[in-house]
Amino acid sequence: MVDVNKIRFGALVREISVQQRQISFNSLVPVIEQDACGNSLPWQPGKLRVRPVDVYRILEPYVKVRLLEQIKAVLPLAAYLVLFQLFILRQNVTDSWLITAGLFSVIVGLMFFMEGLKIGFMPLGETIGTVLPQKSRLPVVLMLVFLLGISVTFAEPAIGALKNAGSTVNVEKAPYLYAMLNDWSGIFVLIVGIGVGLAAVLGTLRFIYGWSLKPFIYLGLLPTIALTIYIMGDPELSKILGLAWDCGAITTGPVTVPLVMSLGIGIAAAAGKGHSSLSGFGIVTLASMFPIAGAQVLALYMAQTTTPEAIIEGATAAGLAVDSAFWYKETPWVEIILGIRAIVPLVVFLLFIMLYVLHEKIKNPRVMAYGILLCVLGMIMFNLGLSYGLARLGGQSGGLVPAAFTNIDMVTGSPLYAYLLGIFIALAFSWLLGFGATLAEPALNALGMTVENLTNGAFKKSVLMYAVSFGVACGIAVGVLKIIYAIPIGYLLVPGYAMAVILTALSSEEFVNIAWDGAGVTTGPVTVPLVLAMGLGFGDAVGAVEGFGILTMASIGPIITVLSTGLWIRWKIRRRHEEEEEPLEQTEAAVP
């Protein structure tokens, strides 16, 4: 028997007529005019008038969802930093209104940028990836993929955070690091882009031929670790290692990964090899590994062509020069120019491929132009928000946290706590910041859903998200310890990656892809500038030579935790299968 709830017809009529208004049909149809002969004249509709309230009702659901995505990524982190500063460190937030305006600019800028990327760039990348293999040979395809990898690097929002960090480096303490972020900044970003381009080429070949990711990890880590050990022997060059390894986290952002991946998957699908469930993995890993070696090679070249004394002398002379005459070097013009410079060359390159290499017409050119305009506006607003909001707040919080355990001039009564308790507070602050920031990353949530589907529920989304967040949190805490006690970063990198390589060798291909790519998706456009500014402020407060290295430690952590979790899950599955097979074997043995 089906239980059907009966209602009175009168009650139904009353409910469906709530908040309804009857309109006469005559009010909906136009009045037909007639000429002198009595013939009906054709009706010409007037120009559509859209009131401001109509515009609001149309855009409100559309904007609300996208705005909330960025608010969820930015606001909790900002609130955490402010509350920690007010209640634990007992310090007021300076320039609070300026920081608030900067954070709002970051939120709106990211909303514009991500929406423009989705409707302006992603369809273009997928179209090029599908058509390119059909009209060009493989060497031409790989060359264009290489150039695309370079172009997207300049368009990464987090690259601006690196350029801002250059002004905080003391040239006398770290001359090569200063030169790399200032005098050589353009070449530095180009070298990082070349690393991303090589990663895109190898990732595309891997998509086409279905190669395993493990050999690429071994071959990529071997020269990188070897260069790290060699550079550690030079006391001046060793100061760039933290920056070099942080490049791997900065390059895998919201521009590089979607565009290069959509292009690679499109090529693989056109070649008939893009149907593997793992075809989308691996590009993040390669794009985060090769730029590290590129930055190290650039440092070695700098050491052969210039001396620390010459860098210090040049920086002193540049500091005496008056730059105020150049309007384009002053804010907000510098942020506007950087935003245009980041997006426009990438647009020109993609349009050149479409129109002159593939001879394809652009579908929906107005929509694409609208998306590109959103990207440019979003990048400009993000750069302004980065200068006045994220970088200022992160640097301020990072500069005040050491007051918990050491004396700082700007904090009266510091140290605020006993030494061991203060160290614990500093580590707890960084651990919670890393855990919360990672858990809020939209890219991690998307990765978790993908992984749960590909593993048929064996690797739950929640398990992956907590494993990655725990690894990032522990990595950031270790990075803070590195700054406090001036631990050479090589002493942490070599054993950390040695453990990661051992776990990689023991793990299956699926979990290797998940773990190494999971380390890349945690470094979003909000997390990178915030953690970077916090590390630099922290290092400046404790008198460290440089505050880099936290991001790379945050990348090692999730690799180790996810691979360990994968081995545990595989052991549980194998044990369950053994338990299910054991009663069956006993039953078969009992049958005569």
Side-chain angles (χ1 to χ4, degrees):
M1 296 284 297
V2 180
D3 185 15
V4 179
N5 294 325
K6 297 181 178 180
I7 62 173
R8 293 174 57 250
F9 179 74
L12 172 65
V13 173
R14 185 181 68 252
E15 291 296 328
I16 65 176
S17 62
V18 171
Q19 295 182 350
Q20 290 187 3
R21 183 163 59 94
Q22 292 184 351
I23 301 175
S24 172
F25 179 75
N26 294 329
S27 301
L28 300 178
V29 296
V31 177
I32 305 299
E33 298 180 355
Q34 297 178 341
D35 57 14
C37 299
N39 299 320
S40 299
L41 296 175
W43 178 69
Q44 297 292 336
K47 187 177 181 181
L48 182 64
R49 291 186 176 183
V50 181
R51 300 171 298 169
V53 66
D54 298 324
V55 176
Y56 169 77
R57 289 171 179 171
I58 294 172
L59 294 180
E60 189 264 342
Y62 177 79
V63 173
K64 186 177 180 181
V65 175
R66 286 150 182 79
L67 188 63
L68 283 178
E69 289 180 359
Q70 306 308 327
I71 289 176
K72 290 178 182 178
V74 176
L75 202 58
L77 297 179
Y80 169 72
L81 293 177
V82 171
L83 293 175
F84 189 91
Q85 186 170 323
L86 291 175
F87 294 102
I88 304 299
L89 303 178
R90 302 191 291 275
Q91 300 296 313
N92 293 326
V93 179
T94 58
D95 300 326
S96 57
W97 287 107
L98 189 61
I99 290 175
T100 302
L103 292 177
F104 178 77
S105 181
V106 166
I107 291 172
V108 177
L110 279 177
M111 181 186 71
F112 284 171
F113 181 81
M114 298 303 292
E115 184 65 18
L117 187 70
K118 187 183 301 182
I119 66 176
F121 281 97
M122 293 296 292
L124 202 58
E126 292 173 359
T127 302
I128 293 174
T130 304
V131 179
L132 190 59
Q134 302 173 1
K135 295 190 174 182
S136 303
R137 294 184 178 182
L138 185 59
V140 176
V141 172
L142 297 180
M143 176 58 69
L144 293 176
V145 169
F146 174 73
L147 295 175
L148 177 66
I150 298 176
S151 301
V152 296
T153 303
F154 284 89
E156 276 296 340
I159 289 294
L162 269 186
K163 296 178 179 178
N164 289 342
S167 59
T168 65
V169 177
N170 190 326
V171 65
E172 296 182 355
K173 290 183 178 180
Y176 285 121
L177 180 62
Y178 176 89
M180 187 174 287
L181 288 173
N182 290 277
D183 304 334
W184 295 63
S185 61
I187 299 176
F188 169 61
V189 177
L190 177 62
I191 293 295
V192 171
I194 290 174
V196 175
L198 291 174
V201 169
L202 290 179
T204 302
L205 290 173
R206 179 175 174 271
F207 288 159
I208 294 175
Y209 297 109
W211 293 337
S212 170
L213 182 62
K214 288 186 179 183
F216 289 96
I217 293 174
Y218 303 146
L219 294 175
L221 278 179
L222 186 62
T224 309
I225 295 294
L227 286 171
T228 300
I229 296 173
Y230 175 79
I231 292 176
M232 285 175 62
D234 190 317
E236 291 296 337
L237 274 181
S238 61
K239 298 170 186 176
I240 64 94
L241 284 176
L243 170 64
W245 281 88
D246 278 356
C247 289
I250 293 171
T251 55
T252 51
V255 181
T256 302
V257 175
L259 264 180
V260 176
M261 186 178 291
S262 63
L263 184 64
I265 292 177
I267 293 173
K273 302 287 184 68
H275 305 294
S276 171
S277 62
L278 297 174
S279 62
F281 289 95
I283 188 67
V284 178
T285 301
L286 299 175
S288 63
M289 195 178 300
F290 288 5
I292 302 172
Q296 291 175 332
V297 171
L298 176 62
L300 293 175
Y301 176 77
M302 288 172 54
Q304 298 296 322
T305 56
T306 186
T307 62
E309 293 77 14
I311 295 173
I312 295 173
E313 182 179 352
T316 305
L320 297 175
V322 179
D323 288 339
S324 59
F326 300 102
W327 59 270
Y328 55 85
K329 293 186 178 181
E330 300 293 330
T331 186
W333 303 109
V334 64
E335 287 86 2
I336 295 174
I337 292 172
L338 288 176
I340 296 173
R341 189 187 299 173
I343 302 298
V344 172
L346 178 60
V347 174
V348 172
F349 177 72
L350 292 176
L351 291 178
F352 173 79
I353 295 177
M354 282 287 292
L355 298 176
Y356 297 101
V357 177
L358 303 179
H359 302 288
E360 289 283 325
K361 291 183 178 180
I362 298 175
K363 298 179 181 178
N364 302 319
R366 292 184 178 180
V367 175
M368 192 198 72
Y370 170 68
I372 293 170
L373 178 62
L374 283 182
C375 275
V376 174
L377 291 176
M379 180 66 81
I380 292 172
M381 295 186 68
F382 179 82
N383 287 338
L384 290 169
L386 178 64
S387 300
Y388 294 102
L390 275 182
R392 193 180 292 263
L393 179 61
Q396 185 178 146
S397 299
L400 292 175
V401 168
F405 61 87
T406 189
N407 181 38
I408 295 180
D409 295 336
M410 68 178 68
V411 180
T412 56
S414 58
L416 302 175
Y417 303 94
Y419 181 76
L420 290 180
L421 178 59
I423 292 290
F424 174 78
I425 289 175
L427 295 180
F429 163 79
S430 56
W431 194 94
L432 290 172
L433 176 66
F435 190 85
T438 307
L439 210 57
E441 276 291 340
L444 180 60
N445 185 71
L447 178 67
M449 295 178 61
T450 303
V451 168
E452 183 170 345
N453 292 332
L454 294 182
T455 58
N456 295 323
F459 207 139
K460 299 291 185 183
K461 182 185 79 170
S462 59
V463 174
L464 175 69
M465 293 183 66
Y466 283 114
V468 172
S469 300
F470 181 79
V472 171
C474 292
I476 290 180
V478 171
V480 169
L481 276 179
K482 172 253 178 191
I483 295 176
I484 294 174
Y485 295 107
I487 303 172
I489 194 169
Y491 293 167
L492 302 173
L493 289 173
V494 174
Y497 275 103
M499 184 183 300
V501 167
I502 293 172
L503 292 173
T504 298
L506 296 175
S507 301
S508 61
E509 184 74 20
E510 292 82 2
F511 291 119
V512 170
N513 284 275
I514 294 168
W516 285 84
D517 269 13
V521 300
T522 59
T523 51
V526 176
T527 309
V528 168
L530 196 60
V531 173
L532 193 60
M534 186 204 75
L536 294 174
F538 203 103
D540 184 63
V542 300
V545 174
E546 45 86 20
F548 293 100
I550 296 182
L551 288 174
T552 188
M553 297 311 303
S555 298
I556 299 177
I559 295 173
I560 295 174
T561 54
V562 173
L563 286 176
S564 301
T565 305
L567 290 174
W568 175 69
I569 290 175
R570 195 172 68 172
W571 175 79
K572 282 186 62 178
I573 294 175
R574 185 169 63 248
R575 183 180 178 183
R576 185 178 63 188
H577 288 168
E578 291 175 354
E579 291 175 352
E580 291 175 353
E581 292 175 358
E582 185 175 347
L584 181 61
E585 293 176 355
Q586 294 177 355
T587 303
E588 292 177 351
V591 175

